[in-house]
Amino acid sequence: MRTSGISLGFFNAPVFCLFWLTKHAVDSAELSAPEVVTGVIGGSVTVHCQYDRQFRNYTKYWCKGQIYELCEIVVKTPKMRNSERHSIADDKEAGVFTVTMTSLRESDKDKYWCVIARHGRNTHTSVRLRISESDTVITTTAATTTAKTPEEDEVSWWATLRWILFILMLCCLVSTHVIVWRIKAAGKTQLQHEVQYQNTNIYA
C-alpha cells in the first residue's frame, strides 16, 4: 500500500509538469506576437497579434503591466474602445488584431500583453515595448527586424529550455509508467509464489 502511494506521487509530478508545459506550447500556437518592439519618443508603434481563427469572434485586448494577472487594459475590442493615443482593430478574416500606439512617451516603456478573452483562463502572450530617444519621429511596426537584445536572448533561451523540460518530463513520465508496471508485475509474481507455496503445504 505504501509502495502504491509513493508510485502515485512520482507519477503525478511529471504529469502536472507535462500538463503545464503543454499548456504553454498550445497557448503559443493559438496566439503569437513579436517579443520586442521599439519606438521613439513622439513616434508611433504598431503591433500585430496573430491568433487562431477559431477565436475570431472572441474579445481581444491590449494590456499593460509586468505581471499579466495585474495588468491594466489599455484598449479593447469589439467596440473599438480607442483612446487618444491607442487604437485596436481586429481583422477576423486574417486572424490578426492590430494595436497602434501614437505620440509615444518614455512612460510607455513597459511589458504589454496581447490577450484573447476566453471562458476560464485567457490566452495571452507578452510584448516588450522599448522607447528610444531621438529627434526624428518615425513609425516602427512589428515587422521591423533588429539585432537581438539581451531580453530577446533571455526569452529565446527560456523557450528552448521549456521544450527541453517538456522532453525530459515526457521521458520521466514514460519511465515512471515502466517502474510502476514492474512493481506491480513483481508484486503479482510474489503473490503467485506465496499462493503456490501455501497450496504445496496444504497438499503435502
Side-chain angles (χ1 to χ4, degrees):
M1 188 70 179
R2 182 180 178 183
T3 303
S4 178
I6 295 175
S7 302
L8 184 61
F10 277 111
F11 175 77
N12 285 337
V15 168
F16 288 138
C17 291
L18 188 61
F19 172 79
W20 182 83
L21 291 168
T22 305
K23 175 66 168 57
H24 281 266
V26 171
D27 283 350
S28 298
E30 292 177 340
L31 179 63
S32 62
E35 296 171 353
V36 180
V37 293
T38 305
V40 297
I41 295 177
S44 63
V45 65
T46 300
V47 180
H48 303 290
C49 306
Q50 187 166 5
Y51 58 87
D52 191 296
R53 293 178 65 185
Q54 64 177 308
F55 302 118
R56 65 176 64 184
N57 294 322
Y58 285 64
T59 298
K60 293 91 178 177
Y61 60 88
W62 179 245
C63 197
K64 179 181 180 181
Q66 290 294 319
I67 302 175
Y68 165 69
E69 285 75 11
L70 302 177
C71 70
E72 179 181 356
I73 297 178
V74 178
V75 67
K76 184 177 182 179
T77 66
K79 297 182 179 180
M80 301 293 290
R81 287 175 47 186
N82 302 331
S83 65
E84 294 181 357
R85 299 191 303 116
H86 309 90
S87 64
I88 186 170
D90 186 10
D91 186 341
K92 296 182 179 181
E93 292 301 319
V96 177
F97 68 93
T98 303
V99 177
T100 302
M101 300 176 63
T102 61
S103 302
L104 293 173
R105 307 166 183 170
E106 181 66 25
S107 59
D108 290 327
K109 179 174 63 176
D110 206 334
K111 178 181 282 189
Y112 292 81
W113 303 86
C114 297
V115 184
I116 297 176
R118 303 173 58 184
H119 297 296
R121 181 173 176 81
N122 295 339
T123 297
H124 55 84
T125 188
S126 64
V127 179
R128 173 73 62 177
L129 174 59
R130 294 179 174 276
I131 301 296
S132 63
E133 296 182 1
S134 175
D135 295 333
T136 305
V137 177
I138 61 175
T139 299
T140 304
T141 68
T144 301
T145 303
T146 58
K148 281 194 173 183
T149 63
E151 288 187 6
E152 287 179 284
D153 288 334
E154 182 179 351
V155 174
S156 178
W157 175 85
W158 165 241
T160 302
L161 177 61
R162 192 168 64 196
W163 280 109
I164 293 175
L165 291 174
F166 177 86
I167 294 173
L168 290 176
M169 289 300 102
L170 184 60
C171 293
C172 183
L173 182 62
V174 173
S175 299
T176 304
H177 272 292
V178 173
I179 292 173
V180 172
W181 177 80
R182 287 184 177 179
I183 291 175
K184 289 182 177 179
K188 288 182 179 179
T189 301
Q190 183 178 357
L191 181 61
Q192 290 175 353
H193 288 165
E194 291 177 353
V195 171
Q196 290 177 356
Y197 178 76
Q198 293 175 356
N199 291 337
T200 302
N201 289 337
I202 293 174
Y203 292 105

